[in-house]
């Protein structure tokens, strides 16, 4: 007998959308389709009238992360035990955070430290990008192939110091020589570079210029982290955007809670937003992420000046619901495309596919069920992380209601039934196709 059967929903797969049953045994999907005779299962979920999609893959979070905008205080973002609770409420079943290799550390050590921090503390499955930062000794780069082999094939680099230098700020930027060295080690072993690609000279020059002009207001951020500073390097390139960038603009900085929408690079302008939607709905942008950096509202709004506005977002919980409501309902994004930009593409690019990111026999039974009939203005009680959400007051149509992680129901009809020991570390391996040419 099956363990779990999801019946009657509109199921979104790479082959199309259909009213199919999903049969689950243990942690895996074992069959998907129209059964010839009635199936029996220990548990049946009636998904009539609902949309059934692959559990979300959130490719970009910074949980339990040092807050460098307030360098004098030793502050950190909320940890996985709080933030991933919101993720599963919002239909996301896997996230990829970061471990930071800085001078004085090594790759394996930082992976082990982060993995130990997450173990038993995550409601969703997880992995880590390896971030390479600062004047790293060259021998550190020799550890890259081993990390790829161990299931950590993505390497984050910054081409920019996001903030001006400060003695208590960790370095972010990796110089182009070291980026070249990293690429030489990453490419032949089947890894991938993840690049925050702003121009160091332009961004630091603009900080200096505004400091000299005694202009310090935080809303000037789009002139510091400006359009000219953003560029890309390498090939093939996969683009990520954030649902925040698609919904808020630089004008929002001037509203009372305006900096709660900020992340680096800055919010931009309506024409940029239109381009992002075009890329998400049609083609050109592969995935949505959050750049999750969860803090209290007080901390998020504490800095009001160019050099201390808190970056990052709180929105991993809202990501799938917002992209559904703004993309599928308002902008006619297809359901297949919705699954691509919230789950499948991130899973493919980061080497989680086909275990994650797709509803198919053999895949993990990671499933989000969306109720398209929910129509409401989001309020504080719709969220389960920290003490605010940038999305309070936002009108939506359609929202995730039930989430299944490896066959286990973790959220049922907006009620949490999972716990923080459910999440597991997932080893990743990137398909050569993804590395050879743009595959999604
Ligand atoms: Zn980030």
């Amino acid at each position: 007998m099956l363990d779990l059967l999801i019946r009657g929903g509109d199921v979104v797969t790479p082959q199309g959308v259909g009213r199919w049953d999903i049969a689950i045994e243990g942690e895996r999907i074992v069959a998907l389709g129209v059964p010839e005779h009635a199936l029996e299962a220990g548990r049946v979920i009636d998904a009539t009238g609902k949309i059934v999609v692959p559990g979300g893959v959130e490719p970009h979070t910074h949980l339990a992360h040092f807050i460098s905008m307030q360098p004098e205080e030793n502050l950190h973002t909320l940890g996985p035990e709080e933030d991933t609770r919101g993720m599963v409420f919002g239909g996301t079943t896997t996230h990829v955070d970061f471990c930071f290799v800085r001078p004085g550390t090594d790759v394996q050590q930082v992976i082990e430290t982060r993995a130990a921090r997450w173990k038993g503390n995550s409601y969703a499955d997880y992995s880590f990008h390896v971030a390479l930062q600062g004047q790293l000794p060259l021998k550190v780069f020799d550890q890259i192939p081993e990390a790829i082999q161990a299931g950590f094939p993505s390497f984050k680099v910054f081409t920019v110091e996001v903030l001006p230098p400060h003695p208590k700020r960790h370095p972010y930027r990796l110089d182009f020589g070291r980026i070249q060295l990293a690429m030489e080690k990453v490419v032949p072993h089947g890894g991938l570079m993840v690049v925050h690609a702003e121009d160091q000279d332009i961004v630091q020059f603009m900080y200096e210029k505004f400091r000299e002009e005694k202009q310090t207001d935080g809303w000037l951020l789009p002139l510091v982290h400006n359009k000219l500073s953003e560029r890309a390097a390498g090939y093939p390139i996969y683009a990520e955007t954030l649902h925040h960038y698609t919904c808020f603009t630089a004008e929002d900085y001037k509203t009372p809670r305006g900096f709660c929408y900020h992340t680096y690079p800055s919010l931009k302008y309506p024409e940029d937003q239109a381009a992002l939607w075009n890329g998400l709905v049609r083609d050109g942008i592969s995935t949505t992420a959050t750049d999750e950096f969860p803090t209290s509202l007080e901390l998020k709004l504490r800095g009001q000046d160019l050099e201390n506005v808190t970056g990052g977002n709180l929105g991993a919980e809202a990501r799938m619901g917002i992209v559904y409501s703004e993309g599928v309902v308002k902008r006619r994004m297809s359901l297949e495309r919705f699954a691509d930009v919230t789950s499948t593409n991130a899973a493919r690019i980061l080497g989680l596919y086909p275990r994650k990111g797709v509803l198919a026999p053999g895949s993990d039974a990671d499933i989000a069920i969306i109720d398209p009939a929910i129509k409401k203005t989001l309020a504080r009680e719709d969220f389960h992380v920290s003490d605010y959400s940038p999305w309070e007051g936002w009108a939506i149509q359609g929202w995730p209601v039930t989430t299944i992680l490896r066959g286990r129901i973790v959220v049922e009809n907006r009620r949490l039934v999972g716990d923080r020991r459910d999440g597991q570390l997932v080893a990743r391996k990137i398909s050569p196709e993804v590395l050879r040419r743009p595959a999604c």
Side-chain angles (χ1 to χ4, degrees), residues 298-316:
E298 185 280 319
L299 180 49
K300 181 68 177 156
L301 298 183
R302 195 182 295 176
Q304 297 284 318
D305 291 346
L306 272 182
E307 298 187 17
N308 67 7
V309 173
T310 303
N313 286 307
L314 177 58

Side-chain angles (χ1 to χ4, degrees), residues 167-238:
K168 291 194 176 158
R169 270 180 193 140
H170 303 296
Y172 271 73
R173 188 170 78 97
L174 197 67
D175 61 68
F176 278 106
R178 283 175 172 76
I179 289 177
Q180 173 185 288
L181 179 58
M183 287 172 118
E184 284 168 9
K185 302 284 182 184
V186 166
V187 172
H189 294 92
L192 180 107
M193 304 288 285
V194 186
V195 186
H196 180 115
E198 286 185 283
D199 187 89
Q200 164 78 355
D201 289 348
I202 291 173
V203 169
Q204 294 301 326
F205 169 79
M206 293 305 285
Y207 275 122
E208 184 185 336
K209 176 171 178 287
F210 281 124
R211 202 181 300 129
E212 216 163 288
E213 292 170 0
K214 301 207 171 4
Q215 296 202 66
T216 60
D217 283 346
W219 61 265
L220 293 165
L221 275 162
L223 304 182
V224 175
H225 290 265
N226 61 30
K227 287 201 205 187
L228 189 61
S229 72
E230 294 188 40
R231 63 185 188 188
Y235 187 83
I237 295 169
Y238 297 99

Side-chain angles (χ1 to χ4, degrees), residues 314-326:
L314 177 58
E317 178 171 5
R319 186 179 65 106
M320 294 187 77
I322 291 295
V323 176
Y324 180 85
S325 186
E326 292 293 317

